[in-house]
Structures are given as C-alpha cells and as structure tokens.
Amino acid sequence: MTQWFDRTLFEGLRTEQNVAWGGSMHLLDQVTSTNDAALEAAQSGEATGAVFIAREQTAGRGRRGNAWLAEPGEGLLISVLHRYRGDTERLLGLSLVVGLAVRDAVQECLNSTNRTSSSSVRAQVKWPNDVLVSGKKIAGVLVETRTVGEREIGIVMGVGLNLHSRSFPRELPDATSLALLGVDEEERRVERVTVYLLAALAKKLDAFLLQDFSPFLPELVDADYLHERRIRVGKVEGRGSGFDTAGRLLIADERGQVVPVISGTVEMLDGAV
Ligand code: BTN
C-alpha cells in the first residue's frame, strides 16, 4: 500500500469531476524521473491517459538539461502519456498548453483560499514552460516525445508543481508553493491537485489537437506573464506581444516589427524574474 497517495480519495474525486484520464495510475515511491517511466511504458504499449506519479525523483529533469529539485513528498511529480499519430510540427505550442492546464489547476486551489480572504491572487504562464504566481515559479512543464510505432509517437507531459514546501534551496530563490500561498492542507492534497490537473489537461489537449493554438489566445490575454514586458530571446529583443496560432511567442521590437520566436530562453530586461 502506498501511504502518500490515497487511491480511494483520488478515484472519488476523479469520478466526481468526470475525468477519464488516470484510470491507469502508476504510483512510484522512487524513480529516476516520471518522464522516463512514462516514455518506457509508452514503448511497452501503455495507453493514452496513463499517469505516472512519484513521491521522489532521483534524476528529475527540467528544460535545457536543468535538474528539477523537489524534496520527497513535497510536490506533485507527474507525467501523463498521450499516444499521437500526426504531424510533430503541430505540437509546437504544446508546452504552453500544458502550462495553461497547470495554471488552471493552481488557480482552482488559489480560488478556494481567495473565497475566504479578501485578496485575489492570479496564476500566470511564462512562455515556454513555467507557471508563476506573483512573479514566483510554482510549477514547470517538460514535454518529451518518443517514437513508439511505425507512425505513432508517445507524448509525455511532465509537470513538477510545488505543493507543501515552505523553503527552497539557494539555487531556487524565486520559487513558491501552494503552502506558501496560503492554500490549506486539504485543498493542496496531491490527489486533489492531480484531478484538477488531469481535468484541465484532457480538455485543453483535445482542443489543441483538434485545431491549433487559437482557442487559447483569449485566455492568454490575462494569463501571459510576458505580456508587455521587455524581454530578449536569442537575438530578438522587444516587448512580449502574445502568441500566434501556431503557439509561437511574438516579440515587438523597437521599430514595431513583430517577430515570432519558436524556442529559446527568455531574458527579462525589466528586472523581473
Ligand atoms: C522546468 O521547469 O524546466 C520543467 C520541470 C519539469 C519537472 C517535471 S517533474 C515530473 C516530470 N519528470 C521529470 O523528470 N521532469 C518533469
């Protein structure tokens, strides 16, 4: 029996919220990375909607070779598998779509707290893969893919979300958690946050794969942390100006020219995180 995850509570919440994903649930006390577990399972035939959650990762990874650090049991470490037949170029904006689902889940938890306090705190996405609250990082997304059949790929959507931590290592000065944001213990339970996330993720992924990035443009007006901020990505410098329908970040340079950016690391030029 796994002490740190209550399957009965999870199943109850999953049924209540009508969430199809998570029927195949792999709970791992310790693993190198939940993304590794999901990628391997994809190759062994595991189906869309399978979920991998760890209490502890020994080699959790983030984007661009960074490590993802989390004390055992303090965060949600989750990977969700989707089997995909289609053009990989269409997946360009997927990281941000997953980020928006994480944002919804975080916002749901924050709203439960906001209902009993006067302040309203907003969760935002920071292209390409971060979720921030009040300028501090609460979650990160790492999407990875692997060919699993002749014309099929396994898409693994990995999310690390800080639930209970009240302090962070020196390397993470700008991190926050649901606990630090005042979300109560019951509302930040791993089973509950998992259900919120799976519900949002399934809905958003369906819309994204059916169409493109356009259904998400309205919600990004509010949720885009980079909007109107001075930034640099590679050689492109200017103000964050939203996204195009393929999910590329748009930067308006000094001459007012709007340049689409596919990938890269964002440098904040206005002193923000
Ligand atoms: C980032 O901020 O750079 C992305 C971090 C993603 C971390 C999650 S934790 C669950 C999954 N397994 C991993 O090894 N990484 C992702």
Side-chain angles (χ1 to χ4, degrees), residues 31-37 52-54 57 59-70 76-80 129-131 137 139-144 156-161:
V31 69
T32 51
S33 149
T34 54
N35 272 24
D36 289 343
F52 303 76
I53 297 181
Q57 293 185 132
R61 55 179 182 271
R63 278 181 77 242
R64 302 188 164 254
N66 293 325
W68 180 260
L69 305 172
L76 172 61
L77 306 168
I78 182 171
S79 299
V80 184
N129 71 320
D130 291 347
V131 179
K137 180 162 171 172
V141 173
L142 180 67
V143 174
E144 294 181 299
V156 168
M157 296 163 282
V159 175
L161 199 169

Side-chain angles (χ1 to χ4, degrees), residues 25-45:
M25 168 65 85
H26 303 257
L27 295 173
L28 310 156
D29 284 325
Q30 192 191 62
V31 69
T32 51
S33 149
T34 54
N35 272 24
D36 289 343
L39 288 165
E40 276 160 31
Q43 272 180 323
S44 317

